[in-house]
Amino acid sequence: MVDATIDVIDRGGLECDLNYLIEGNTLGSHDTPNPDTEYVKIPVPNFVINHPEGIILWDTGSHHDAANGHWPEGLVQAFYPYDAHEHRLDDDLEEAGYSIEEIDYVFQSHLHLDHAGGLEFFDGTDTPIFVHEEELKFAYYSTKSDEGSAAYVLDDFDHDLNWTVLHRDRETHFEGVEFIRLPGHTPGLTGTMVHLPDESVVFAGDELYQTENYVDETPLGAGLLWSHRHWFQSLNLLKELERRHDAEIVYGHDPEQFAEIKDGWRR
């Protein structure tokens, strides 16, 4: 348990086909061979854990020039960052009462384009950047070859950064905070469990996009899974953590849950 507070940082949002988030959400039938898909807006949250051992920024969101050349056009069309230009990381942190200089640590759940776009603000600094070994390898493999995942942008993370690489499936580097690898969406995706005085919170990141992924156990869709088998194993682990710690599970991009948690966790 740790006497920490957690702020929710609004980092803008994306527009995309719901089939990316929920496997098989819209399917054709004999009488409706070309159904209309659901095109939705989803939030991109970051979190600031104000911990006695330092201020931890959890993910860094989309790059503020995502729609203006930073992302390839194909990715812009698939995951349109409709307001990224209004959400520079430094400005969003300032609105929440923090500055880039006050961030002592950065934790990257993974390095996809909507999660690692603010790392440039830590280029050339000594700020430790936590990321799992399997994620770092897969991100470079994906951007330096024709294999892997197309959802990485090399310019997001190819900076002079003070990488602090996680190697195990579960690691504790701060009191009451555990980093937990949740492979499936990517091989190195890592969530975080925080034991606050009154409750435990698990940030699942993109292991879960929305409620349907967790409650209905419907996988992510449209090729956004590195491994279905690993995804289901990680899902079961999250359900075990919820049962064992009576923990609140926080999804990666759920509009309704985002509205509920926007005031963060404060005593």
Side-chain angles (χ1 to χ4, degrees), residues 111-123:
L111 296 172
H112 272 175
L113 72 174
D114 55 326
H115 293 263
L119 282 173
E120 69 174 25
F121 287 96
F122 301 94
D123 188 0

Side-chain angles (χ1 to χ4, degrees), residues 18-260:
L18 196 56
N19 281 300
Y20 282 116
L21 311 180
I22 302 169
E23 184 179 68
N25 181 75
T26 305
L27 296 173
S29 65
H30 179 272
D31 291 339
T32 311
N34 299 298
D36 291 333
T37 59
E38 292 184 70
Y39 194 67
V40 298
K41 288 186 175 182
I42 59 173
V44 175
N46 294 167
F47 305 97
V48 173
I49 304 171
N50 198 333
H51 192 281
E53 298 172 43
I55 297 176
I56 306 165
L57 172 62
W58 200 97
D59 272 352
T60 58
S62 305
H63 192 278
H64 50 271
D65 283 330
N68 297 314
H70 187 79
W71 290 5
E73 184 61 21
L75 291 175
V76 172
Q77 290 299 314
F79 307 103
Y80 188 73
Y82 59 90
D83 60 353
H85 63 286
E86 300 175 3
H87 284 277
R88 285 174 56 98
L89 176 60
D90 52 352
D91 292 338
D92 288 344
L93 285 174
E94 184 177 350
E95 186 172 340
Y98 299 94
S99 68
I100 291 291
E101 292 73 25
E102 288 179 293
I103 301 301
D104 297 300
Y105 307 94
V106 174
F107 172 83
Q108 286 292 153
S109 65
H110 63 308
L111 296 172
H112 272 175
L113 72 174
D114 55 326
H115 293 263
L119 282 173
E120 69 174 25
F121 287 96
F122 301 94
D123 188 0
T125 74
D126 292 330
T127 306
I129 312 294
F130 287 93
V131 71
H132 199 278
E133 173 188 8
E134 297 300 328
E135 184 62 22
L136 197 58
K137 289 178 178 178
F138 192 65
Y140 274 103
Y141 171 68
S142 297
T143 54
K144 293 291 189 177
S145 75
D146 294 329
E147 305 295 332
S149 167
Y152 294 100
V153 174
L154 181 63
D155 287 345
D156 279 343
F157 56 86
D158 193 29
H159 299 294
D160 177 14
L161 297 170
N162 182 17
W163 295 111
T164 300
V165 181
L166 307 172
H167 300 283
R168 297 184 297 277
D169 287 341
R170 300 179 72 156
E171 295 191 21
T172 298
H173 293 259
F174 306 95
E175 179 186 0
V177 177
E178 186 175 9
F179 299 144
I180 303 171
R181 181 171 169 242
L182 300 169
H185 177 52
T186 72
L189 187 141
T190 303
T192 303
M193 181 162 58
V194 184
H195 297 292
L196 299 169
D198 300 322
E199 64 177 319
S200 294
V201 180
V202 178
F203 297 105
D206 281 5
E207 160 66 14
L208 307 168
Y209 283 146
Q210 302 201 323
T211 303
E212 290 85 352
N213 304 132
Y214 192 63
V215 175
D216 300 335
E217 301 189 359
T218 305
L220 316 184
L224 289 180
L225 281 184
W226 164 71
S227 166
H228 273 74
R229 177 174 63 85
H230 286 85
W231 184 84
F232 278 108
Q233 290 174 347
S234 295
L235 176 67
N236 289 332
L237 173 57
L238 286 171
K239 297 206 169 194
E240 178 186 343
L241 294 174
E242 181 188 28
R243 289 191 298 268
R244 181 178 299 177
H245 301 283
D246 192 25
E248 179 175 4
I249 307 298
V250 178
Y251 315 134
H253 299 284
D254 189 285
E256 292 184 6
Q257 187 186 57
F258 181 73
E260 294 172 357

Side-chain angles (χ1 to χ4, degrees), residues 2-14:
V2 61
D3 190 9
T5 61
I6 305 175
D7 289 291
V8 179
I9 311 298
D10 182 354
R11 299 286 288 111
L14 308 175

